[in-house]
Amino acid sequence: MMRIHNSLSGHKEPLETLEPGHVRMYVCGMTVYDFCHLGHARAMVVFDMVARYLRATGWRVTMVRNVTDIDDKIIKRAAETGTDPDSIARTYTDAMHEDTDALGLAPPDAEPRATAHIGEIIAMIERLVTGGYGYAPGNGDVYFAVSRFEAYGRLSGKRLADLRAGERVAVDEAKDDPLDFVLWKAAKPGEPAWDSPWGRGRPGWHIECSAMSTHCLGDTFDIHGGGMDLKFPHHENEIAQSEAATGHPFVRYWMHNGFVTIDDEKMAKSLGNFLTIRDVLAVHRAETVRYFILNSHYRSPLAYSGPQLDAAASALSRLYQALRGHAPAAPATDTDFETRFHAAMADDFNTPGAIAVLFDLAREINRLADAEPARAASLAGLMVELGDTIGLLQTDPAAFFQDDAGQGPDAADIEQAIVRRREAREQRDFAEADRIRDELAAAGVTLEDGPEGTTWRRSS
């Protein structure tokens, strides 16, 4: 039985979906005003892994990941660069897709954009106003009355009295309560705007996700995912406005991935301490980044450093080294390795535990490689099969060791050097042959001589 830590209850709970065998999942996507950073990559990889593993184990999954393409940050970036918000949104949506493709992520089943769902957003706000949960003070804005929703704070564990401590309403503030949040913003000169019952304006950030998720998945769906930083106020506000508008429970299971930290601080654009996905992929292959992310439990903090990525590259190389030289074979079945791997994954997607099983498999493959090559090959097949369920070990091992991730001499130059070395050895010029080998080694290329000739791999 798959068990998931539900942020709403604070406990691990069996995954019991509304429709047996079908998981409906919504993941908060990007606000497209800049390049995605490694913190975004963590959320992307984590929920790609969740969907991938569930599908691999027989679940039907409908995954929705939105794009926030209208927001204060987008408008600010457009003003700073002398362009328009739509151009900013399109540019960075394209960049996001390039990043997700580079990371090898499966596309979501649906990717709604906020600007394509203005009608649904306005309709939801109208229901909130009619039901007494929303109010329009007459300045073109519309707010959600937090005090009207009795369950407010149940996700984050925050109490309204504590949130109000130290707060006060400014003299010119139109809100009835400092905790009320905006559903619709009146248009300012030069900003994108749409017609509404309250005048021209645009949606607030929180209402966008409520409208898009319920439009795609229904009033109630199974899993809502996102980063820990979204738990409050974004997800708390989503619950309040969604349940107030529909009268139904919003989400059954809330999943939140931990922060990526750098120098003990959360990686964030607002702090200026972030590395873009492009920065990282210029140095490390995508699978190394995925391994680095999955080798920590998704709910725990993930500390970034260059040495940590290097260690991930080395560890991944050890797994691939165990697969080298084994002809494709049918995966071994009914093994303790398989049982332990799936037990780890069923325990709230415990990927570090699952990866530990892959290393146990690698050690057993290495032990049997000479004595029982057929058994070693079948275990290698199992290792590849299990790795596939979380998006690892899907590259041909020979190609893995020859992929430079943008570093070192290219493959053609290496092959030419090997030819020159072979010719030198045939001419008994061993000093020249050794010089070529040492020159390649200095460039991070290891030569391996065998009965069938010389192969090469890049050093980890």
Side-chain angles (χ1 to χ4, degrees):
M1 170 78 66
M2 174 64 66
R3 295 177 65 83
I4 295 177
H5 183 273
N6 189 350
S7 299
L8 192 61
S9 67
H11 302 291
K12 293 178 186 177
E13 301 174 4
L15 177 58
E16 297 174 349
T17 55
L18 289 168
E19 178 187 341
H22 184 192
V23 178
R24 294 180 174 89
M25 178 167 66
Y26 182 88
V27 179
C28 280
M30 300 301 107
T31 299
V32 283
Y33 72 99
D34 203 345
F35 293 114
C36 300
H37 59 60
L38 193 58
H40 299 137
R42 188 182 197 189
M44 291 172 177
V45 168
V46 162
F47 292 104
D48 177 80
M49 173 274 295
V50 169
R52 179 187 291 265
Y53 184 77
L54 289 174
R55 287 176 175 133
T57 51
W59 293 86
R60 177 187 167 205
V61 178
T62 300
M63 179 178 173
V64 177
R65 187 185 66 216
N66 76 294
V67 174
T68 297
D69 60 348
I70 182 63
D71 180 82
D72 290 343
K73 294 175 181 177
I74 296 171
I75 293 170
K76 180 181 177 183
R77 186 61 179 270
E80 291 171 347
T81 57
T83 184
D84 61 276
D86 184 59
S87 295
I88 292 292
R90 283 189 283 107
T91 295
Y92 289 109
T93 299
D94 290 343
M96 177 195 69
H97 289 149
E98 291 169 1
D99 290 342
T100 56
D101 288 347
L103 285 170
L105 307 185
D109 297 290
E111 192 177 62
R113 295 176 295 108
T115 57
H117 291 271
I118 298 297
E120 288 90 346
I121 292 169
I122 291 173
M124 180 170 275
I125 297 172
E126 287 183 305
R127 290 198 297 273
L128 290 170
V129 171
T130 300
Y133 292 97
Y135 62 93
N139 63 351
D141 292 342
V142 183
Y143 295 98
F144 184 89
V146 168
S147 62
R148 292 293 312 276
F149 188 74
E150 294 182 359
Y152 193 84
R154 69 185 181 193
L155 177 66
S156 58
K158 298 181 183 293
R159 297 172 61 246
L160 290 180
D162 295 334
L163 291 170
R164 288 197 181 96
E167 292 276 7
R168 64 185 179 86
V169 181
V171 173
D172 61 346
E173 179 60 78
K175 293 191 288 186
D176 292 345
D177 185 308
L179 299 183
D180 293 348
F181 57 88
V182 68
L183 299 169
W184 187 260
K185 294 184 176 185
K188 294 179 181 178
E191 290 186 351
W194 290 263
D195 291 329
S196 82
W198 315 282
R200 286 183 62 77
R202 57 187 173 87
W205 174 39
H206 310 299
I207 195 68
E208 294 177 352
C209 278
S210 287
M212 287 186 285
S213 62
T214 55
H215 172 78
C216 294
L217 298 173
D219 290 351
T220 305
F221 53 92
D222 301 301
I223 296 175
H224 194 314
M228 190 70 71
D229 55 327
L230 299 178
K231 194 172 186 180
F232 184 86
H234 184 53
H235 290 163
E236 194 74 72
N237 291 351
E238 277 192 67
I239 292 173
Q241 64 200 7
S242 300
E243 296 191 357
T246 69
H248 299 122
F250 181 39
V251 172
R252 294 169 64 84
Y253 303 88
W254 286 87
M255 296 180 66
H256 291 96
N257 64 274
F259 297 127
V260 175
T261 61
I262 184 167
D263 297 329
D264 297 321
E265 284 189 311
K266 170 195 166 188
M267 186 177 289
K269 289 175 181 173
S270 60
L271 298 175
N273 65 345
F274 66 94
L275 287 168
T276 69
I277 293 173
R278 294 165 183 231
D279 292 334
V280 178
L281 292 183
V283 181
H284 294 279
R285 69 182 90 213
E287 191 172 2
T288 296
V289 176
R290 188 180 187 95
Y291 178 96
F292 168 68
I293 290 170
L294 296 183
N295 200 38
S296 293
H297 192 274
Y298 77 88
R299 287 191 287 117
S300 66
L302 178 61
Y304 167 82
S305 70
Q308 291 277 22
L309 263 294
D310 292 339
S314 179
L316 188 61
S317 293
R318 294 199 300 274
L319 292 177
Y320 270 103
Q321 187 64 38
L323 297 174
R324 291 187 79 191
H326 296 289
T333 57
D334 299 322
T335 67
D336 176 63
F337 300 108
E338 187 176 8
T339 300
R340 289 190 292 119
F341 181 94
H342 289 299
M345 290 300 294
D347 182 17
D348 192 31
F349 302 99
N350 180 7
T351 51
I355 288 172
V357 175
L358 296 180
F359 276 100
D360 290 344
L361 256 172
R363 283 187 284 271
E364 184 68 359
I365 292 166
N366 291 335
R367 186 180 73 83
L368 296 175
D370 294 328
E372 300 181 48
R375 176 62 175 169
S378 68
L379 290 177
L382 175 62
M383 189 171 164
V384 170
E385 183 179 78
L386 295 178
D388 181 49
T389 67
I390 57 174
L392 296 175
L393 305 179
Q394 299 309 295
T395 301
D396 175 78
F400 175 87
F401 286 110
Q402 294 180 1
D403 178 17
D404 65 359
Q407 308 296 309
D410 64 35
D413 291 340
I414 295 169
E415 295 289 353
Q416 290 174 6
I418 291 173
V419 170
R420 294 196 305 274
R421 177 173 177 264
R422 184 179 69 245
E423 292 171 346
R425 294 177 74 182
E426 289 171 350
Q427 297 168 11
R428 304 189 68 78
D429 187 352
F430 298 114
E432 174 63 9
D434 289 347
R435 186 196 67 77
I436 293 171
R437 180 198 61 205
D438 293 344
E439 185 179 77
L440 288 172
V445 177
T446 300
L447 301 186
E448 297 173 344
D449 296 317
E452 299 181 358
T454 301
T455 59
W456 62 274
R457 62 181 175 85
R458 298 188 192 274
S459 305
S460 60

